[in-house]
Amino acid sequence: MMADLDLAPVLPRTAATTSDDHLVLGGCDTTALAKEFGTPLYVFDEEELRGGIGEYRWAFTSRYENTLVVYASKAYLGRWIAALMAEEGLGMDVVSGGELAVAKSVNFPMGKVLFHGNNKSEQELREAVEAGVGRIVVDNFHELALLDGVAGAAGVKQRVLLRISPNVDPHTHAKTTTGILDTKFGFVLEADGSGGEGDPAEQAIVQAQASKNLELMGLHCHLGSPIFEMEPYEVANDVMIGFAAKMRDRHGFELHDYSPGGGFAAPYTRDQIPPAPDEYAEAVIGSMRIALEREGLDEPALSVEPGRSIAARAGVALYTVGARKEIPGVRTYVSVDGGMADNIRPAMYEARYEALLANRATDAAEENVTIAGKYCESGDVLIRDIDLPKLEPGDLLAVPASGAYCLSMASNYNHAPRPPIVLVREGNARLVRRRETYEDMMRNDVWQE
Ligand SMILES: *Cc1c(COP(=O)(O)O)cnc(C)c1O
């Protein structure tokens, strides 16, 4: 099997073609997968997933041994991937009681779990404390008081980080920017990032230190996503480490743990290939060390939180082509059997994707079309204006880089059953999530005939 695929940079590393020009992933003919499991179908490539994890782990730990790579599970979470992350030795970010429950269900090492979120409920905090979550990343004053009470009631001294909003613009989409001044996340550092006296961030340090049932371990920030430049990480490290040093001087604060978050970019389109894990690691660790040295601080335990950069490229969505609408001189819509219910990113973030024909993988482009979803919204468009071979009903369309923030944001809009997932590796396909049924969707309706 020879891969001569223009889209190789956005496809899993195992992508190839059969002699009859079918797309192959993980040694499996995607047209056979579609036949067996139906479409829409999400295919995850185990080699790509583990390979990506290995690259991030090596990039960081080879430069800075005391690094924990933490998978941001909101990118995509299921029991199978939680178990795989545990096997790979990664930590895990959870942002809800539901994600925590998945981690617990596969006996994920709780000491390596970080619990994030800007409005964790009392019950979620209780679940996290009782599960023995390694670090709860406290976002605000309400949570600081609530968690102190919850930990006290459980007789636990809970280790926490404080989420700081360091006022650094990551130059990404407004809806995925989280570390600027005007965001719902985290304790504000002064607008100039100087950590001036009386900042909410400083008050949070003081309050956390005074909380009997909390042990303040360090600081966290997350700037947004996807971040293609190194500069936001460098500036954030400079600001955060500078702040840590001021807090040491004023309050005896010790930076035991430090996390600059995630947001590393993933390859979605062939003209926007992201920096390599090595480049991120070099920038993050280099700038952190410079700031630590300047401030005379010891090297903290570092955690980094890639989500999309691990999951996105490992997933490929397969759709069957159906209806076609040609509007002369305007555009041609080609509809597929999925759309915003399984991938809302184009509608929500104007996210761009590539596509190829899985049953004629190397056919040359012949026309410019817009790939529409099947759901009842005009905004349900997967890919606007893309050059593709002439699409016929029944063709199998593959959308690469669909592993992150697609299924984790999937809905049952229009009562669409959410798609199944197969995990492929070396010619074997394993169903790791079955397709939802109509009965699944009606299960929670309370109604008596
Ligand atoms: C979402 C999130 C991440 C991961 O972002 P990616 O773009 O998927 O890498 C990391 N840390 C926190 C706190 C997050 O909320």
Side-chain angles (χ1 to χ4, degrees):
M1 289 187 286
M2 252 304 289
D4 182 21
L5 295 162
D6 290 347
L7 292 181
V10 299
L11 281 163
R13 60 196 70 190
T14 66
T17 51
T18 62
S19 54
D20 47 0
D21 211 24
H22 294 174
L23 174 66
V24 171
L25 298 171
C28 297
D29 183 331
T30 51
T31 66
L33 295 176
K35 237 179 233 131
E36 183 175 354
F37 299 101
T39 59
L41 174 67
Y42 276 70
V43 181
F44 273 79
D45 185 304
E46 190 171 344
E47 238 180 277
E48 177 60 40
L49 204 48
R50 290 190 194 266
I53 290 167
E55 284 162 20
Y56 268 96
R57 207 178 32 210
W58 177 249
F60 279 90
T61 58
S62 65
R63 292 175 170 83
Y64 194 86
E65 204 183 329
N66 196 6
T67 307
L68 181 64
V69 176
V70 176
Y71 174 57
S73 72
K74 71 180 193 285
Y76 174 72
L77 183 61
R79 299 183 71 194
W80 66 272
I81 205 170
L84 186 149
M85 294 299 164
E87 219 180 279
E88 291 286 339
L90 262 59
M92 195 191 294
D93 268 2
V94 300
V95 295
S96 70
E99 288 182 353
L100 176 62
V102 174
K104 274 199 315 200
S105 79
V106 300
N107 295 317
F108 196 92
M110 282 297 139
K112 291 192 205 173
V113 172
L114 285 88
F115 190 12
H116 290 280
N118 68 300
N119 195 23
K120 307 174 190 80
S121 71
E122 183 168 356
Q123 181 175 332
E124 286 175 318
L125 290 172
R126 201 177 304 122
E127 287 165 6
V129 167
E130 283 168 4
V133 159
R135 303 285 186 272
I136 295 179
V137 184
V138 177
D139 186 274
N140 53 68
F141 290 106
H142 164 71
E143 184 185 346
L144 205 45
L146 195 60
L147 179 59
D148 190 35
V150 166
V156 168
K157 188 143 180 152
Q158 177 64 48
R159 294 184 156 182
V160 299
L161 308 183
L162 296 179
R163 173 146 182 183
I164 306 296
S165 159
N167 193 27
V168 174
D169 187 346
H171 310 132
T172 185
H173 193 281
K175 284 185 187 162
T176 53
T177 293
T178 57
I180 55 171
L181 181 63
D182 183 4
T183 167
K184 68 174 181 172
F185 295 107
F187 294 101
V188 172
L189 263 184
E190 235 178 34
D192 66 354
S194 63
E197 217 142 348
D199 261 5
E202 175 164 11
Q203 291 167 26
I205 296 265
V206 173
Q207 190 170 322
Q209 287 175 325
S211 302
K212 278 207 299 290
N213 308 301
L214 305 181
E215 186 177 0
L216 177 58
M217 300 299 290
L219 302 177
H220 175 280
C221 66
H222 172 67
L223 304 175
S225 186
I227 304 173
F228 282 86
E229 299 159 36
M230 300 302 132
E231 187 235 35
Y233 292 105
E234 293 164 352
V235 174
N237 279 344
D238 192 60
V239 169
M240 293 286 290
I241 302 294
F243 173 67
K246 281 204 185 81
M247 296 304 100
R248 171 202 56 197
D249 297 344
R250 291 189 198 145
H251 306 291
F253 167 70
E254 267 183 60
L255 186 69
H256 184 274
D257 294 358
Y258 174 60
S259 175
F264 310 128
Y268 289 106
T269 60
R270 69 186 103 188
D271 55 4
Q272 212 181 22
I273 298 305
D278 274 322
E279 211 176 317
Y280 286 114
E282 192 68 36
V284 166
I285 291 164
S287 59
M288 180 182 77
R289 281 207 166 110
I290 289 171
L292 289 169
E293 206 158 300
R294 181 191 68 215
E295 305 292 353
L297 283 168
D298 289 340
E299 293 197 339
L302 175 68
S303 55
V304 288
E305 306 175 318
R308 83 179 63 239
S309 52
I310 285 178
R313 190 177 171 187
V316 177
L318 299 177
Y319 302 100
T320 300
V321 171
R324 177 186 188 93
K325 175 179 179 179
E326 292 181 17
I327 312 170
V330 179
R331 97 180 51 250
T332 297
Y333 287 95
V334 176
S335 294
V336 295
D337 58 355
M340 66 184 288
D342 60 271
N343 184 356
I344 202 168
R345 296 187 66 256
M348 187 143 113
Y349 309 126
E350 291 100 40
R352 282 293 298 180
Y353 284 90
E354 303 276 7
L356 73 159
L357 261 183
N359 54 319
R360 291 185 273 131
T362 59
D363 271 18
E366 266 180 75
E367 58 174 2
N368 189 273
V369 296
T370 285
I371 304 297
K374 66 169 289 171
Y375 303 106
C376 296
E377 294 284 330
S378 289
D380 178 24
V381 163
L382 276 177
I383 309 172
R384 192 168 288 280
D385 301 331
I386 181 173
D387 292 329
L388 284 171
K390 182 94 195 278
L391 299 174
E392 307 287 349
D395 274 338
L396 190 63
L397 193 75
V399 177
S402 296
Y405 301 102
C406 295
L407 291 178
S408 61
M409 290 187 170
S411 75
N412 291 125
Y413 183 51
N414 294 172
H415 268 228
R418 283 175 294 178
I421 302 173
V422 290
L423 186 63
V424 293
R425 184 191 179 120
E426 291 174 352
N428 297 311
R430 179 158 69 96
L431 184 71
V432 289
R433 185 177 168 89
R434 64 173 176 77
R435 185 181 304 281
E436 271 181 336
T437 63
Y438 298 152
E439 291 71 34
D440 287 335
M441 288 188 286
M442 288 185 266
R443 182 157 294 141
N444 296 321
D445 280 353
V446 180
W447 182 74
Q448 291 268 288
E449 205 162 344

